[in-house]
Amino acid sequence: MNHQTYGQWLQYAKDELDEELRVQYENHLYSCNHCLELYVKAVEEADYPSLADSVGASFSDSVMKRIEKPKEVPREKAGGNIKKQTLMHYGVAAAMTFLLMSTGAFSQLVNIASTFAANEDRSIVNGFLQNTDSITEKIETTLEEENKDE
């Protein structure tokens, strides 16, 4: 096969070839994956030229000049606010703990937890299994009595 070079595909992508040669190149693309890859790269370069070529170095300098520098917050003020905020949170937590303890909310939670623990033994599955055992025992007892009577 007659493969075209990357430069030839770049000319094709930029539409710099005569019509007859373009038709030959198109027909070749249908059968050659190697040239198809070169063609795709050439189209990308032709459609999207390098930004460094189109934009000068002065562009980045002018953009950097327009960017405002962030204002720095003095550390003394920021540190004082954090200490006050932490102290405020601690005070609110202590007040809520005192309020809950004085109303008995914590003791009620303990009572509820112990009630759940006591009721855990009386679950539905355990009740079903106990009833099944008692039914089985009744059937066995009835069968034994019938066997004794015979």
Side-chain angles (χ1 to χ4, degrees):
M1 269 194 193
N2 187 13
H3 294 294
Q4 279 72 27
T5 64
Y6 178 75
Q8 291 171 323
W9 286 116
L10 193 57
Q11 286 177 336
Y12 176 85
K14 292 180 180 180
D15 201 20
E16 297 174 350
L17 299 176
D18 62 354
E19 191 62 31
E20 184 180 321
L21 201 53
R22 289 183 62 77
V23 171
Q24 289 177 1
Y25 281 22
E26 287 173 12
N27 291 334
H28 181 72
L29 282 177
Y30 291 122
S31 62
C32 182
N33 288 333
H34 173 73
C35 288
L36 183 62
E37 289 177 19
L38 291 175
Y39 168 70
V40 169
K41 289 178 185 177
V43 168
E44 288 175 357
E45 185 177 329
D47 287 343
Y48 306 108
S50 174
L51 289 178
D53 296 340
S54 62
V55 178
S58 62
F59 175 75
S60 59
D61 292 337
S62 65
V63 169
M64 292 305 291
K65 286 179 184 176
R66 290 185 183 182
I67 296 176
E68 293 182 18
K69 293 182 181 179
K71 297 178 183 177
E72 292 186 23
V73 177
R75 292 191 182 247
E76 297 88 30
K77 290 183 182 179
N81 288 337
I82 292 174
K83 289 178 184 177
K84 287 179 185 177
Q85 193 175 23
T86 303
L87 186 58
M88 180 69 165
H89 288 165
Y90 178 75
V92 169
M96 289 188 69
T97 303
F98 180 72
L99 179 69
L100 291 171
M101 288 183 72
S102 64
T103 60
F106 288 130
S107 62
Q108 288 178 357
L109 285 174
V110 170
N111 290 339
I112 290 171
S114 62
T115 304
F116 279 126
N119 289 336
E120 190 175 305
D121 293 337
R122 289 184 255 155
S123 71
I124 295 172
V125 174
N126 285 339
F128 179 75
L129 290 175
Q130 288 174 357
N131 289 338
T132 305
D133 286 342
S134 64
I135 291 172
T136 306
E137 289 174 6
K138 287 180 185 178
I139 292 172
E140 287 176 356
T141 307
T142 307
L143 289 175
E144 286 177 5
E145 288 177 1
E146 288 179 0
N147 287 338
K148 287 182 184 178
D149 290 338
E150 292 178 3

